[in-house]
Amino acid sequence: MHEDAVAYITAGAVFDVADITFYADSRHRSLDEAIADAEVLVTCPDATASWPAELEPWVSPALTRRRQDDVASGRARLVARRWATIDPTVIYVENPHPRIVSHPDPSVLVSPDPDVVAEVAARGADVYRATRLELVRRLVLARSNRPMRTLTAVTLHDEVTPRDEPAVLTLGNGGDHAGDPRPLDPFITMDPERLRLLADSHRAGFGVRSHGEIALNRSRSECEETVGTARDFDHVDAVRADLSRAHLTDIETIEEVARRLRRSWLHYRTTAG
């Protein structure tokens, strides 16, 4: 197969909660036990590059494997899986379908049969959406009967980072570059002070000092999942996290980033109180 040939998920593939949910020691811990210990829910809505094979009849010739990879967060997916494996305070859920299933793009998917798209989504993208929402509800409920730290919902992405953008990571709450509300659109998804503490914790965890390496609200697009979580759930901190692809070059760096994320969140729990 040509290296730039479009990649497809086998027709008829069905994904369930267990296929898309990851947490530490899953062989010996139940999901209920993981929920009891979790303080961070990580999700990756753009985790998957391959397209469901059922959509092939409507695929534009403009689509290539390179384009699939460019719009997916495949490196973030690997980081998140590993992070959840080594950090018992994290639960990770990934979308087994690419964004195109939930948000058809006419430039690469030309007039698809809506019934086919809906049938495909029911076996993957819809499972992801329902699982994410149910986990947020269960995690919130787990905190309602006893004093615990605020639940944080992290939407994880990776992206190509221009030279003048953060070298490692950007965190976003929809505010300005200090994390404060913008005058024309004051809605934010996480308290500014907590966001700044989280950024400082990542600087400690990644061993950097510059605010240019761990920055706030530098992403070029809004994350609807982060905004939706903040609007739908009171007392949940929702934050978008974008990892620089330049910092995720091989398996060794993916492993190191996962460990530094665990270190960063341990620091945050210690300092945020």
Side-chain angles (χ1 to χ4, degrees):
M1 180 179 291
H2 190 276
E3 65 178 9
D4 209 28
V6 174
Y8 289 105
I9 300 167
T10 303
V14 178
F15 300 90
D16 61 23
V17 174
D19 294 323
I20 64 174
T21 307
F22 303 85
Y23 53 90
D25 197 21
S26 59
R27 290 187 178 184
H28 303 102
R29 295 166 77 220
S30 67
L31 182 55
D32 286 342
E33 290 172 319
I35 288 171
D37 294 334
E39 297 182 4
V40 185
L41 176 65
V42 180
T43 58
C44 192
D46 304 319
T48 304
S50 300
W51 285 26
E54 290 90 339
L55 302 183
E56 186 173 7
W58 299 280
V59 170
S60 165
L63 181 67
T64 63
R65 179 57 188 266
R66 181 182 298 276
R67 183 164 183 176
Q68 287 181 299
D69 290 339
D70 284 346
V71 300
S73 291
R75 295 173 179 85
R77 174 189 194 177
L78 296 175
V79 169
R81 285 190 176 195
R82 183 57 182 155
W83 179 17
T85 299
I86 62 176
D87 189 340
T89 69
V90 169
I91 296 176
Y92 166 56
V93 183
E94 71 181 29
N95 192 346
H97 281 162
R99 179 178 176 82
I100 197 74
V101 175
S102 302
H103 300 81
D105 179 350
S107 70
V108 286
L109 192 64
V110 183
S111 302
D113 184 325
D115 292 335
V116 173
V117 175
E119 289 173 6
V120 168
R123 299 195 295 267
D126 291 351
V127 176
Y128 165 75
R129 179 183 58 81
T131 300
R132 181 182 70 82
L133 290 173
E134 179 62 17
L135 279 173
V136 177
R137 293 188 188 101
R138 293 179 65 182
L139 286 161
V140 169
L141 182 62
R143 281 151 181 72
S144 64
N145 297 323
R146 58 189 188 277
M148 300 181 71
R149 296 182 182 87
T150 300
L151 171 68
T152 309
V154 179
T155 310
L156 191 65
H157 302 263
D158 64 58
E159 60 178 12
V160 177
T161 308
R163 289 185 179 181
D164 60 345
E165 291 294 314
V168 178
L169 173 72
T170 182
L171 299 170
N173 68 344
D176 62 20
H177 289 175
D180 293 317
R182 293 173 294 166
L184 297 181
D185 184 9
F187 178 77
I188 55 174
T189 63
M190 183 175 181
D191 173 78
E193 184 59 32
R194 287 201 296 273
L195 182 68
R196 289 189 284 267
L197 285 173
L198 185 61
D200 285 340
S201 291
H202 280 79
R203 293 181 190 109
F206 280 82
V208 300
R209 294 184 179 180
S210 170
H211 284 221
E213 292 182 275
I214 306 289
L216 301 181
N217 294 310
R218 298 291 180 86
S219 297
R220 293 179 293 279
S221 61
E222 183 178 78
C223 180
E224 62 185 48
E225 188 172 292
T226 303
V227 172
T229 299
R231 290 194 186 278
D232 293 342
F233 296 94
D234 293 333
H235 310 301
V236 174
D237 283 341
V239 59
R240 171 173 177 156
D242 290 86
L243 293 163
S244 169
R245 291 185 185 177
H247 201 68
L248 301 170
T249 55
D250 51 35
I251 295 299
E252 286 74 18
T253 56
I254 286 169
E255 171 73 21
E256 181 62 22
V257 168
R259 293 187 177 279
R260 288 184 179 276
L261 286 170
R262 180 184 63 176
R263 193 178 309 163
S264 300
W265 282 86
L266 175 60
H267 185 279
Y268 177 66
R269 290 194 296 273
T270 302
T271 56

